């Protein structure tokens, strides 16, 4: 079996990114292999980026329409390459008023945006053996989980941005800069 790599990650304008994913009903080696391949693809992508980290990935981003998400165990430490899978994740409660922060996405190349997300959430999901669990998350982890669950539902972070002034680009030094008018025009055909 060959591992997936960054070439397997699909990006806009790929239209299947906006399709809802199917629920996993059978917990077998197929799902375990998918998780393994998703981790390999995300890490290969990361290894080819100077200033970015793969903190999460949904199966739809490798063109597999199953409700599978992986989250980096330590979102701050690039040397920690462990991920936690969430199978059939669903938000069951949100708390607080949505807060804005920067988000990027492996499937939206080189564009960042200020996105509103709930500061605290509770989810239910299953592990690779099909055992259901619940998780409460806040801060960046809550944002990350909402971003990935959006993917499962066929939504991208750019769908939450209503103001074109909230789009950004990363420069060669890893700094996030506002898009200028020409960059907005050049990227708008890709994003919508």
């Amino acid at each position: 079996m060959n591992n997936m790599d960054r070439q397997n990650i699909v990006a806009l304008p790929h239209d299947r990114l906006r399709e809802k994913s199917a629920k996993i009903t059978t917990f077998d080696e197929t799902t375990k292999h998918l998780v393994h391949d998703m981790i390999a693809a995300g890490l290969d992508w990361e290894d080819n980026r100077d200033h970015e980290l793969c903190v999460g990935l949904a199966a739809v981003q490798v063109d597999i329409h199953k409700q599978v998400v992986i989250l980096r165990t330590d979102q701050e430490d690039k040397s920690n390459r462990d991920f936690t899978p969430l199978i059939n994740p669903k938000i069951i409660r949100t708390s607080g008023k949505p807060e804005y922060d920067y988000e990027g996405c492996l499937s939206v190349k080189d564009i960042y945006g200020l996105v509103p997300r709930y500061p605290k959430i509770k989810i239910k999901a299953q592990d690779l053996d099909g055992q259901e669990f619940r998780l409460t998350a806040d801060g960046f982890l809550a944002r990350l989980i909402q971003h990935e669950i959006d993917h499962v539902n066929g939504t991208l972070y750019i769908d939450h941005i209503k103001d074109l002034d909230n789009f950004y680009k990363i420069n060669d030094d890893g700094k996030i800069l506002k898009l200028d008018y020409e960059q907005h025009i050049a990227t708008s055909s890709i994003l919508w």
Side-chain angles (χ1 to χ4, degrees):
M1 179 182 78
N2 294 331
N3 285 339
M4 288 185 182
D5 62 22
R6 68 185 182 278
Q7 303 300 323
N8 294 99
I9 296 173
V10 297
L12 286 178
H14 194 281
D15 59 350
R16 290 195 69 209
L17 284 166
R18 296 197 185 276
E19 291 179 10
K20 289 190 176 192
S21 296
K23 195 170 186 174
I24 296 284
T25 56
T26 304
F27 294 83
D28 58 14
E29 290 303 309
T30 304
T31 304
K32 290 177 183 173
H33 287 302
L34 174 58
V35 167
H36 175 79
D37 283 347
M38 290 169 62
I39 293 169
L43 291 175
D44 185 50
W45 177 91
E46 172 184 301
D47 290 343
N48 287 277
R49 308 294 281 198
D50 290 332
H51 304 290
E52 295 171 293
L53 192 67
C54 174
V55 292
L57 191 69
V60 66
Q61 293 178 269
V62 292
D63 210 14
I64 308 279
H65 292 264
K66 301 289 184 184
Q67 292 186 19
V68 177
V69 165
I70 58 169
L71 306 175
R72 194 180 204 110
T73 305
D74 185 339
Q75 296 93 26
E76 302 288 325
D77 182 3
K78 194 169 186 169
S79 68
N80 183 336
R81 295 164 73 87
D82 294 330
F83 287 78
T84 301
L86 304 178
I87 313 300
N88 303 321
K90 183 176 182 182
I91 297 170
I92 55 176
R93 186 178 319 134
T94 60
S95 299
K97 182 180 174 185
E99 299 171 355
Y100 284 80
D101 205 347
Y102 294 106
E103 288 185 26
C105 181
L106 281 67
S107 294
V108 182
K109 290 183 178 179
D110 302 321
I111 302 294
Y112 284 76
L114 279 175
V115 181
R117 299 282 188 193
Y118 291 101
K120 187 173 182 179
I121 61 169
K122 185 171 187 172
I123 68 160
K124 67 177 180 178
Q126 291 167 282
D127 64 18
L128 284 173
D129 295 318
Q131 296 300 308
E132 186 176 296
F133 65 93
R134 292 174 188 250
L135 172 71
T136 300
D138 59 11
F140 181 76
L141 182 58
R143 175 171 295 278
L144 172 59
I145 293 170
Q146 289 169 85
H147 178 109
E148 299 305 336
I149 289 177
D150 270 358
H151 275 302
V152 166
N153 293 313
T155 301
L156 298 168
Y157 80 89
I158 59 172
D159 300 332
H160 296 288
I161 301 174
K162 306 302 180 209
D163 184 347
L164 286 178
D165 286 337
N166 286 340
F167 285 103
Y168 298 80
K169 197 162 185 69
I170 192 167
N171 72 4
D172 293 339
D173 297 326
K175 293 183 181 158
I176 296 177
L177 306 172
K178 273 193 177 285
L179 289 179
D180 62 30
Y181 180 75
E182 287 78 21
Q183 290 171 321
H184 275 299
I185 298 302
T187 59
S188 64
S189 64
I190 295 169
L191 299 181
W192 290 282

